[in-house]
Amino acid sequence: MLFAGIDWADRWLDIAVLDKAGQLLLEQRIVYATTSDPVAAYLALLKPLDRRWRSAVTGIEEVGLPFTRALSATGMRVVHVDPTKAARHRTALGIPKSDRADARMIADLVRRGVAWPVVDSTPQSQALRVVTHAHRAAVSDRMAAAHALRAALSRSWPAAITAWPATRGGLGSPQALAVLLSAPGPRAASRLTRADLADLLRGAGRTRGTELEAERLHLHFARPAMLLDPLLEDAEAIRIADLTATLAAAVDRAARLEVHSAEHYARQQHHHITAGIPGIGSILGAQLLAEIGDRPAARFENGRALAAYAGVSPVTWASGVTTRVSLRRASSILLRSTLHLAAFSWSMHSPGAQAYYRKRREAGDAHATALRKLGRKLTLCLYHCMTTQTRYDDASAFGYAPGEAAALGRRPPLGDDEIVQAWNLLQLPGSTLAAVGRALGVSAHTIRRHVLGEPRYG
């Protein structure tokens, strides 16, 4: 029986192989630049060492590497060595830090059984994970491009920002991009006629109310605006046009990847489970299945283990009479953020989830805490449905009779008494919107809207 340890780096792999007695049999470095197929080179190194070399166990700290996935595809047994435990083991034994010593230490940990088997999802699930991660990155780039364009407009042409508030699609809407690409400055926009604007809107895909929208934009751009020196305005227009083109490309990229993500999501074996949960659409459903995988029973012992992995179960620290509860930071950040969004959407479309959220809020939980607890409940429901192949049922999940579901509806974030309390707090010397919001468990934006009466979008 062979026990191999691999320490990976950006340019090479260090390999150490031990036998059952812990005797070092081989130490080798595989350099990517001089090796076309590192997996084949690694298997060639193992072959002369033992007649049963295919039963060797390979330990590695990073199981997401292409090398690790390709090695698993050959049928070799690969186990995961926790980097934190490996670092503590190195410190306890006083082993100097080097790639060769790390490979030997990982091999020894594998021989001692301080490793965990790697449970791979099916190729369909892995493909979904790749596509959803690409879609996440595209959405992040789209947001960054939108913020950059908004910042540039705020410095030179603020009227363009108010022309397309969020209620009309924002700066990332096809109509806003078409107009800004055609007229990236206030003088150029003021020279656009109603017919020009209507043609741009039709070219962007608008089919209804085109003339009214063109009239609105024509009046908006005809108003007096702050004008810079013509030479400086031309320079700003070049920057705005470039940022608009970048945003348009980012929007197209995110839209294309969303289509691919939906196609892969529809082919998943658990698609019918997530698709049957109220408020979970194709994007959130694809991200949930991508992070959980299609073999939850093999990866996680029970639903609580999955909730801990997702970071929705807090960590309780107890010593004597002192007990402290804190956020579980050692978790999947992507799954935790997805569950936060999914729990919010779930609470808006599921009668049971909405009642549970309101119950937690009335008990004194903050908004984020109530969503975390709702996300934990969603995780447990997903684990049960995926492992038993049963469809989601809202009445069973929250324990009410099918005909007793509470009516869905949105309550105002602040009641009449709380609005009066907020007014009184704002009159105090030194009070701020953020401090008043914290006192009432809401955001400063909520205070602006529901107490001061400011519009939702500026």
Side-chain angles (χ1 to χ4, degrees):
M1 187 71 176
L2 300 179
F3 302 93
I6 296 181
D7 183 78
W8 66 277
D10 293 336
R11 292 183 293 173
W12 55 68
L13 295 171
D14 279 283
I15 302 169
V17 183
L18 307 178
D19 59 11
K20 288 184 178 180
Q23 199 71 19
L24 181 65
L25 302 179
L26 171 71
E27 277 188 331
Q28 186 71 35
R29 171 173 287 181
I30 296 178
V31 182
Y32 302 141
T34 59
T35 307
S36 58
D37 189 351
V39 173
Y42 172 65
L43 297 180
L45 291 174
L46 293 180
K47 194 171 184 178
L49 297 179
D50 191 280
R51 183 171 58 88
R52 302 175 59 187
W53 62 275
R54 283 197 172 276
S55 63
V57 183
T58 304
I60 193 168
E61 293 178 333
E62 178 55 62
V63 296
L65 295 174
F67 174 85
T68 309
R69 293 186 289 175
L71 184 61
S72 298
T74 64
M76 296 292 290
R77 185 182 172 191
V78 181
V79 295
H80 176 230
V81 177
D82 186 8
T84 303
K85 288 193 174 183
R88 291 173 180 171
H89 185 75
R90 183 194 308 113
T91 303
L93 297 182
I95 300 175
K97 173 63 176 159
S98 69
D99 294 343
R100 180 172 296 182
D102 285 350
R104 193 182 308 145
M105 179 191 63
I106 292 172
D108 185 60
L109 291 175
V110 174
R111 185 180 68 88
R112 296 171 181 268
V114 190
W116 293 263
V118 178
V119 180
D120 286 329
S121 301
T122 61
Q124 291 82 2
S125 180
Q126 295 182 33
L128 175 66
R129 183 181 177 91
V130 172
V131 175
T132 54
H133 283 193
H135 180 242
R136 281 179 182 268
V139 171
S140 178
D141 293 342
R142 183 184 65 189
M143 292 177 61
H147 290 325
L149 176 60
R150 186 182 182 90
L153 290 173
S154 66
R155 290 191 295 266
S156 60
W157 188 18
I161 301 176
T162 58
W164 293 282
T167 53
R168 297 182 178 271
L171 295 175
S173 64
Q175 300 167 41
L177 295 174
V179 175
L180 290 177
L181 284 174
S182 177
R187 286 187 174 90
S190 64
R191 290 193 293 267
L192 290 176
T193 64
R194 295 175 180 83
D196 295 335
L197 289 169
D199 291 340
L200 290 173
L201 295 178
R202 292 191 190 96
R206 190 181 182 101
T207 58
R208 300 177 61 182
T210 306
E211 300 299 333
L212 291 177
E213 180 67 8
E215 177 69 17
R216 185 188 71 84
L217 292 176
H218 182 265
L219 294 176
H220 184 86
F221 293 137
R223 294 172 184 170
M226 294 184 296
L227 296 178
L228 304 175
D229 182 85
L231 185 62
L232 182 57
E233 183 179 326
D234 290 342
E236 291 287 354
I238 293 174
R239 175 165 63 175
I240 291 172
D242 179 70
L243 292 174
T244 304
T246 302
L247 177 57
V251 169
D252 292 340
R253 175 191 170 204
R256 289 195 307 270
L257 288 173
E258 182 178 345
V259 173
H260 290 300
S261 176
E263 292 174 352
H264 281 79
Y265 172 55
R267 292 197 290 263
Q268 300 301 305
Q269 61 174 323
H270 300 300
H271 166 263
H272 65 284
I273 295 176
T274 51
I277 301 177
I280 305 300
S282 59
I283 295 179
L284 288 176
Q287 292 177 356
L288 286 173
L289 291 186
E291 301 306 322
I292 296 176
D294 54 3
R295 300 176 61 190
R299 292 184 62 191
F300 307 100
E301 183 178 358
N302 48 41
R304 291 183 299 174
L306 175 58
Y309 171 76
V312 291
S313 292
V315 180
T316 302
W317 306 83
S319 177
V321 296
T322 302
T323 302
R324 181 169 60 89
V325 180
S326 64
L327 176 69
R328 185 181 295 272
R329 300 188 181 278
S331 60
S332 171
I333 298 177
L334 293 179
L335 182 53
R336 185 170 63 190
S337 62
T338 302
L339 281 172
H340 182 84
L341 297 176
F344 181 79
S345 182
W346 194 29
S347 67
M348 301 298 294
H349 296 84
S350 164
Q354 189 171 98
Y356 181 85
Y357 171 81
R358 289 174 176 173
K359 179 181 177 182
R360 297 313 318 162
R361 291 285 284 161
E362 291 169 359
D365 289 345
H367 172 69
T369 304
L371 286 185
R372 178 187 60 75
K373 293 181 178 179
L374 192 57
R376 183 179 186 275
K377 196 165 187 64
L378 176 59
T379 304
L380 298 178
C381 291
L382 280 173
Y383 185 86
H384 171 76
C385 293
M386 294 173 69
T387 53
T388 60
Q389 285 299 309
T390 57
R391 291 185 178 273
Y392 171 82
D393 181 70
D394 199 69
S396 300
F398 292 95
Y400 63 85
E404 298 178 356
L408 288 172
R410 296 189 63 178
R411 296 181 180 178
L414 294 175
D416 295 338
D417 295 339
E418 291 175 318
I419 291 177
V420 173
Q421 182 183 356
W423 268 113
N424 295 333
L425 291 175
L426 288 173
Q427 306 306 316
L428 298 177
S431 65
T432 62
L433 294 176
V436 174
R438 283 194 300 268
L440 297 176
V442 296
S443 65
H445 185 65
T446 301
I447 300 297
R448 286 195 186 95
R449 286 186 55 202
H450 296 274
V451 179
L452 300 182
E454 294 183 6
R456 182 175 182 180
Y457 301 107

